[in-house]
Amino acid sequence: MTDPAAANPCETAPPNRLNPPQVRLPKLVQGAAFAFFRRQSMRHWINRHGHIFEINVAFFGRSVIVSDPALVRLMCTTGAEHLVAVQPNIGNLLGPGSVFALDDGPHRDRRRLLSSPLHGQCLKGYEQMIVDETLREAANWPENREFRILEPMNRIALNVILRTLFGAEEPEFAELREILPSFMKLGSVMAFVPRPPFRTGRHSPWGKLDESRRAIDRIIVALIDRAEADPTLGERRDILALLLRSRYDDGTAIPRRDISDELLTLIGAGHETTASALAWAFERLRRHPDVLAELAREVDEGGSAFRRATISESLRVRTVLDVAGRRVRSSNFNLGGWRIPQGRTVFVRIADIHDNPEIYPHPERFDPNRFLGTKPAPQTWLPFGVGSRRCVGADFVSAEMDIVLRTVLQNFRIQTDAAPDEKAHFRGVAHIPKLGGLIVVNRRR
């Protein structure tokens, strides 16, 4: 394996092998392995070919798989003249105004715009709202009876992002809460499937997505109209107000359609993956009484360091997004001495980096202490993606997870037992606990 600290990763590639080794299986077999047996297949191919190799799968075509931290570090610092957004991606579902669909200057400008309200001091303004949403949802949790934590976490995360985007509770939120879960569940799968060239019926997957999207756009347009008519728009701190106030360098406003696409992007990306990550955290705690006992002790003493380390370890050992992709724009892109032709997709295999025993000794263990008082190298801990397309809301998600977990621990005791680990279920974009993160709780008196 390439040394992550190598000064010149280009020197590590074998001089007589400029092209990554190829998996020699029929395309259909490779596609099935990538779609349905990814974890096992990737481990087998890494053992056989090393930490960079090429596969050929449906939708993405010939693609290079990378799980070498030194090569990932190079990708993190490579500019848009070489690497751009992978195609297809979820921007095909969310619209051309989504940050997922943008490249070059428009992508950089949008990220800069969105970074401010999702980082730093702004996060403190959302803390009480996250506490309130968690307590409201947890008020109806059963005691001494097993229940799925995924759906409650989904509702908390959805309510938090709606209030972050639009400010106070709006009458239209109830309809959005009805439409969005099914839209994102179906859309996460269909976003990577090319739309057929012929007209599809209203009962087809594309017809259902189109109908839901029209309903979502109608609601968002109504919220935009209300915000524009608000005399206090200039003082509002919600993200919709920020988008409406923003101007390009030539003084023009962001088009309404782009605002609608971006708001839907933040809603979808801002609650699905957060809920999945929280469900995995609770799934892990049920099976690790020592970790849970230390968390309970710390929360009673007002600390947070071990809790943050636990979140980092949970995101490592149960990664929600297992790959991050880029498309090669330049001709014969050189990745550490490996020649990657123009048009190829390059996938960073996040899950295999997180499971690498050379980086994380005994990677199968759930051990928050490995993150206590230390910060991992960016190319070795990648739950939020890679480089310039890393999740713009990563700080927000981490803070939200911390506040939700703290609030639950302050108000509930989570029962532990020797239940078998829940397997991962792939839903097109995110990996979730197959049983929904089953837990049993008691209220603290």
Side-chain angles (χ1 to χ4, degrees), residues 42-81:
M42 288 296 171
R43 286 185 173 177
H44 172 73
W45 292 335
I46 287 171
N47 289 336
R48 183 178 179 86
H49 301 293
H51 288 276
I52 180 169
F53 56 88
E54 183 177 281
I55 62 174
N56 192 5
V57 295
F59 308 140
F60 299 103
R62 294 177 67 178
S63 305
V64 175
I65 307 296
V66 176
S67 57
D68 183 329
L71 300 182
V72 174
R73 183 175 62 184
L74 280 178
M75 289 184 63
C76 289
T77 57
T78 296
E81 68 273 16

Side-chain angles (χ1 to χ4, degrees), residues 49-307:
H49 301 293
H51 288 276
I52 180 169
F53 56 88
E54 183 177 281
I55 62 174
N56 192 5
V57 295
F59 308 140
F60 299 103
R62 294 177 67 178
S63 305
V64 175
I65 307 296
V66 176
S67 57
D68 183 329
L71 300 182
V72 174
R73 183 175 62 184
L74 280 178
M75 289 184 63
C76 289
T77 57
T78 296
E81 68 273 16
H82 296 295
L83 298 174
V84 292
V86 66
Q87 288 294 337
N89 69 46
I90 200 168
N92 298 333
L93 167 73
L94 301 169
S98 163
V99 69
F100 287 109
L102 302 176
D103 277 312
D104 302 317
H107 176 257
R108 184 175 58 253
D109 293 343
R110 186 65 57 80
R111 283 186 63 89
R112 189 181 299 119
L113 174 68
L114 295 173
S115 292
S116 175
L118 297 174
H119 288 76
Q121 289 297 114
C122 291
L123 291 173
K124 295 182 179 179
Y126 302 127
E127 180 171 351
Q128 189 56 50
M129 178 261 288
I130 297 171
V131 170
D132 292 343
E133 291 294 343
T134 304
L135 292 175
R136 181 167 65 175
E137 177 64 36
N140 296 318
W141 287 0
E143 294 189 74
N144 298 311
R145 179 163 58 85
E146 196 175 60
F147 68 99
R148 291 167 56 99
I149 197 67
L150 178 62
E151 286 75 20
M153 293 299 107
N154 205 304
R155 288 189 290 270
I156 291 170
L158 179 55
N159 288 339
V160 166
I161 196 61
L162 287 175
R163 291 181 60 183
T164 303
L165 293 179
F166 301 107
E169 180 79 14
E170 298 282 2
E172 291 84 358
F173 285 6
E175 190 174 358
L176 281 174
R177 292 183 186 110
E178 289 292 321
I179 300 171
L180 282 165
S182 59
F183 175 77
M184 291 304 303
K185 183 177 181 180
L186 177 59
S188 295
V189 176
M190 301 308 297
F192 301 96
V193 180
R195 183 182 284 265
F198 51 84
R199 187 175 180 179
T200 58
R202 61 189 298 265
H203 296 295
S204 69
W206 295 277
K208 292 177 180 177
L209 287 173
D210 289 343
E211 183 178 3
S212 295
R213 181 60 199 264
R214 286 191 293 270
I216 292 168
D217 284 342
R218 173 179 50 78
I219 296 168
I220 290 179
V221 166
L223 293 167
I224 292 174
D225 288 340
R226 189 174 304 145
E228 286 183 328
D230 186 353
T232 67
L233 179 65
E235 290 77 48
R236 283 174 46 169
R237 298 175 58 193
D238 55 272
I239 292 176
L240 172 56
L242 175 68
L243 291 171
L244 290 174
R245 292 197 301 263
S246 296
R247 295 293 182 269
Y248 292 115
D249 291 341
D250 62 2
T252 59
I254 301 175
R256 273 183 164 224
R257 179 68 197 192
D258 285 6
I259 290 178
S260 183
D261 289 349
E262 199 62 81
L263 291 171
L264 179 57
T265 298
L266 292 168
I267 294 170
H271 88 277
E272 281 275 314
T273 52
T274 304
S276 301
L278 280 164
W280 277 123
F282 285 107
E283 187 272 348
R284 291 290 78 204
L285 293 181
R286 174 177 179 171
R287 291 151 179 84
H288 293 86
D290 292 345
V291 174
L292 189 57
E294 177 60 19
L295 286 171
R297 182 199 63 76
E298 182 188 62
V299 80
D300 286 344
E301 295 177 358
S304 62
F306 189 74
R307 188 170 63 250

